[in-house]
Amino acid sequence: MPKSEPHPHLDARARWALAAVATGAFCVQLDSFALNLALPVVRDALHGSATATPWVVSGYLLAAGSLMPVAGRLGDLYGRRRMLTAGLALFGVTAVLCALAPSLPLLVTARVLQGAGGALIMPAGLALLTHACPPGRGRRAMGRALGLAGLATVCGPFLGGVLARSVSWRAVFWLTVPLALAAALCARRAAESRDPEAGQSLDGVGAIAATGVVACLARWLEHAADWGWAVGAALIGALFVRAERRSSAPLVDLALFRNRPYVALTVAGAVANSATVALLYVVPWTLQRAEGWSVLEAGVVFVAPAGALAVGGPLAGRVRPGAAVPVMALCLASGAVALAATTRGTGTLALLTAATAAAAALGVAGGLALTGTQAVVRRERAGEASGVTKAVMTATAGVGLALTDAGADGGAGPSLVLPAAVCLATAAALVVARVLRLRLVRGLVPVVGRVLGLGRALVLGRVLGLGRALISVRSLVSVRAPVCVRALRLVRVLLPVGRRADRRRMDRCGVDRCGVDRCGVDRRGAGQRQADRRRSAQCRSAQCRSARCRTDRCE
């Protein structure tokens, strides 16, 4: 857990980094959803087929999601500011190509390249912001950037639809060109950072395998009936694991997946992101089809949920790393209730109220998935961690749309019942996992020890004449202590001869158990005093100054 600094204020370089990341994230999210409602206009203008037109959106999202693990590691290796600047430049150039595309195949190609630029922007930018800000302010700054990205997520479809019908669908891309240029200029003024322990070479096999896994997984989640993509993801995933184990400089450290808070926040963030996509699809559809509102009216009314989703990012930045998982569970449970109320609500006011509550809860959950994971990993590999998290969240975004269609009742339209159920089940899983960890590790171990007669070694010590061995089972068989430490503790309890010899030696030298002679002069060395101070900090009694006193009087 990062330590707070005395003056955690943002300096000029950190503010430039915040401006670059916030603007870049806004561009990425805006172009992710701006063409959703404008696809029919694009198809008519470019005379494309009904099967190829959705690739204008799918190709962008697939490229962005599958390349994010590689992009995050590239930032750790070659510099996060450099990769962020390169991603913004690629994003701006490809936006111009999209605006000038004369045919649908060229537009799809340019969109795939634009997704590659977006893949560089997000993980490299988040890692750059993590290192540019003091530990006490990094999460809040990241929350502000994610709040602006959340605003683009909600306003993207409405803005794209209005521009496509009133001006041109090409205006959506022209809008992002000056924003990407401004973000690149801001990024050049930020401080550079990279992983000092990383080598200078990229794990090529791991990069190809990681890209293939995410791509196959995303395609399978969009078309769940096609199990070929699932088999491909499993086979390439096995190749990826094997390559990472053998590599001296792996693309993704597999120890990252043994970090329980990181895994929990990433999975829960993917669920929250899927539910958010479902909410953004169902509520406008309901307003336009069921209530009979126009696109402009639905967009204006949807301002309240949009604002609530945008506020979720800054609120997530204020959550302590230790409380990230419980708050995530609370947000998912609240979001599930609000999603269910959105489905059950009657009337426009009830629908918008429930949608605003759901957007607020899911916005905090989505922000926690990024701010929380950055706080529980090493800062040196922040790009790698953010790349994996963003890749998982992007690849699973389409699950929300599949659940809305699966939960529809007899063709009555999309429903939020199944997304709500998935959010509630994930929240319950987080709570159960935390309770089991706290109760089984900290509560059941002493109980089992007492059942076996090992809860306290006082009775055994008196029977065997081993003295006062008041060492609890928790200190003897603590799961957090290494095996060698547990063995030494057990030897200390069962063989107190060494402790008695120490007492006799100290009595002969005129030194008491705490290392101070009878005249009040401390005869210990500087190293011994420092070690005793660290050990005595864990002691409950103010009279103790060393581990010898703790074993006799503090337990």
Side-chain angles (χ1 to χ4, degrees):
M1 182 182 301
K3 298 180 181 179
S4 59
E5 294 187 359
H7 300 286
H9 299 291
L10 298 183
D11 56 8
R13 287 177 174 263
R15 287 194 291 269
W16 284 117
L18 174 60
V21 175
T23 309
F26 182 86
C27 292
V28 172
Q29 294 300 106
L30 180 65
D31 276 12
S32 298
F33 299 97
L35 290 181
N36 287 358
L37 298 180
L39 286 181
V41 180
V42 174
R43 183 180 60 189
D44 295 338
L46 298 180
H47 306 288
S49 63
T51 58
T53 303
W55 277 98
V56 175
V57 176
S58 299
Y60 174 88
L61 294 177
L62 189 63
S66 59
L67 292 175
M68 277 183 183
V70 181
R73 189 55 182 159
L74 284 175
D76 292 341
L77 288 173
Y78 305 114
R80 290 142 186 150
R81 185 187 65 183
R82 179 182 299 177
M83 289 298 105
L84 175 60
T85 306
L88 289 168
L90 179 60
F91 192 90
V93 171
T94 51
V96 174
L97 295 179
C98 291
L100 299 176
S103 62
L104 188 61
L106 291 179
L107 177 60
V108 172
T109 303
R111 285 285 284 172
V112 171
L113 294 176
Q114 192 179 32
L120 284 172
I121 292 173
M122 291 301 292
L126 294 177
L128 177 68
L129 192 57
T130 298
H131 282 262
C133 299
R137 293 291 300 274
R139 297 189 307 276
R140 296 189 179 185
M142 193 180 303
R144 296 173 188 172
L146 295 176
L148 187 59
L151 186 62
T153 300
V154 178
C155 296
F158 166 70
L159 183 61
V162 171
L163 288 177
R165 286 171 172 80
S166 60
V167 184
S168 173
W169 63 268
R170 302 178 188 272
V172 176
F173 299 106
W174 288 117
L175 178 63
T176 59
V177 173
L179 294 177
L181 178 60
L185 294 177
C186 293
R188 291 181 62 85
R189 295 177 176 270
E192 182 62 284
S193 64
R194 57 171 52 88
D195 185 1
E197 299 179 0
Q200 295 298 322
S201 60
L202 180 68
D203 180 14
V205 178
I208 296 174
T211 303
V213 168
V214 179
C216 291
L217 182 62
R219 293 300 297 166
W220 176 58
L221 292 176
E222 289 183 4
H223 306 281
D226 193 352
W227 287 93
W229 293 109
V231 174
L235 294 178
I236 301 176
L239 175 63
F240 171 75
V241 173
R242 183 178 181 181
E244 297 307 283
R245 285 181 175 177
R246 293 187 174 186
S247 176
S248 58
L251 176 74
V252 177
D253 188 2
L254 296 181
L256 185 68
F257 301 104
R258 294 194 293 269
N259 188 332
R260 287 176 294 183
Y262 175 83
V263 173
L265 290 173
T266 299
V267 174
V271 173
N273 189 50
S274 300
T276 303
V277 172
L279 178 70
L280 299 180
Y281 171 65
V282 171
V283 174
W285 186 94
T286 305
L287 291 175
Q288 296 176 44
R289 300 294 177 88
E291 303 292 335
W293 291 25
S294 65
V295 176
L296 180 60
E297 293 173 340
V300 171
V301 172
F302 205 65
V303 169
L309 186 65
V311 171
L315 291 179
R318 296 178 176 271
V319 178
R320 295 183 298 104
V325 176
V327 173
M328 174 69 83
L330 179 62
C331 290
L332 288 179
S334 304
V337 174
L339 289 175
T342 303
T343 303
R344 300 291 182 180
T346 57
T348 304
L349 181 60
L351 174 66
L352 291 177
T353 302
T356 303
L362 295 176
V364 175
L368 276 178
L370 295 174
T371 60
T373 52
Q374 290 286 284
V376 298
V377 298
R378 292 193 301 114
R379 290 167 63 90
E380 293 78 10
R381 298 183 74 100
E384 169 195 335
S386 62
V388 173
T389 302
K390 281 295 297 180
V392 173
M393 294 176 65
T394 305
T396 57
V399 177
L401 296 180
L403 292 178
T404 57
D405 294 334
D409 263 346
S415 173
L416 292 173
V417 173
L418 287 183
V422 173
C423 288
L424 188 60
T426 306
L430 292 178
V431 173
V432 170
R434 186 171 181 84
V435 169
L436 288 178
R437 180 186 174 188
L438 295 178
R439 294 294 176 86
L440 289 181
V441 174
R442 299 181 181 179
L444 293 183
V445 168
V447 172
V448 174
R450 287 168 184 167
V451 172
L452 297 177
L454 299 176
R456 292 279 184 176
L458 176 61
V459 177
L460 179 63
R462 288 178 178 176
V463 171
L464 299 179
L466 298 179
R468 298 183 62 191
L470 291 175
I471 305 297
S472 65
V473 172
R474 184 179 304 174
S475 63
L476 286 176
V477 294
S478 174
V479 295
R480 296 184 178 180
V483 177
C484 58
V485 175
R486 296 200 297 267
L488 289 177
R489 289 174 178 172
L490 185 61
V491 170
R492 189 175 183 83
V493 173
L494 299 180
L495 298 177
V497 179
R499 188 165 66 251
R500 293 177 179 175
D502 290 341
R503 294 172 185 171
R504 289 195 297 269
R505 178 179 55 79
M506 287 188 295
D507 290 339
R508 288 196 304 269
C509 297
V511 181
D512 65 10
R513 298 176 184 176
C514 295
V516 181
D517 64 7
R518 296 191 180 101
C519 297
V521 180
D522 195 345
R523 299 296 183 184
R524 297 171 297 169
Q528 183 63 33
R529 286 196 298 270
Q530 185 177 5
D532 288 346
R533 281 196 297 269
R534 287 196 301 266
R535 288 193 294 265
S536 63
Q538 303 174 359
C539 188
R540 299 173 187 156
S541 174
Q543 300 176 356
C544 295
R545 296 293 184 269
S546 68
R548 298 187 184 95
C549 299
R550 187 179 72 237
T551 58
D552 290 336
R553 291 199 293 267
C554 296
E555 293 290 336

